[in-house]
Structures are given as structure tokens and as C-alpha cells.
Amino acid sequence: MDVRPGAELVTGSTNSGNGQVILPNGAAIFRVYMDSPGFPSAEAAGAWMNTAEYAQLKALLMSLSYS
């Protein structure tokens, strides 16, 4: 998981970007690495997305701001 500029997440976007968020004084990369080997299937990943742990992680990532 990582944080990306909102323009890369709009409907119809054909590019997932490069994972860097450009800031006035440089660039930043915000990533969350999952334990290896990750999820055994897309279904397992989808099931995890319905957990409280995922909701907390998403809330944390969505709360980031830079000023």
C-alpha cells in the first residue's frame, strides 16, 4: 500500500504513477509493507479489507497531510 497524489486515483486513470508525492521541498514516499509472503489470493486480500485492522490502517493513511 502506498499514498499517491489524488490525480492518479481518478476514474479512467490509465497510469498508477510512481509512488512519489511531490512536495515543495522535495518528494516523499509513504509505503506500508505487508509481511511476506503477503496474501495467498485476491480473495484473502479482499477478506482482510473487511477487517478492523484494515479500517485503522486506511484511516491512518487517509489522515496524512502536508502543510
Side-chain angles (χ1 to χ4, degrees), residues 38-59:
F39 298 102
S41 66
E43 292 78 19
W48 178 71
M49 292 175 73
N50 290 316
T51 66
E53 180 181 44
Y54 172 81
Q56 290 174 336
L57 179 58
K58 181 178 177 180

Side-chain angles (χ1 to χ4, degrees), residues 6-14:
E8 295 178 2
L9 303 174
V10 297
T11 301
S13 178
T14 59

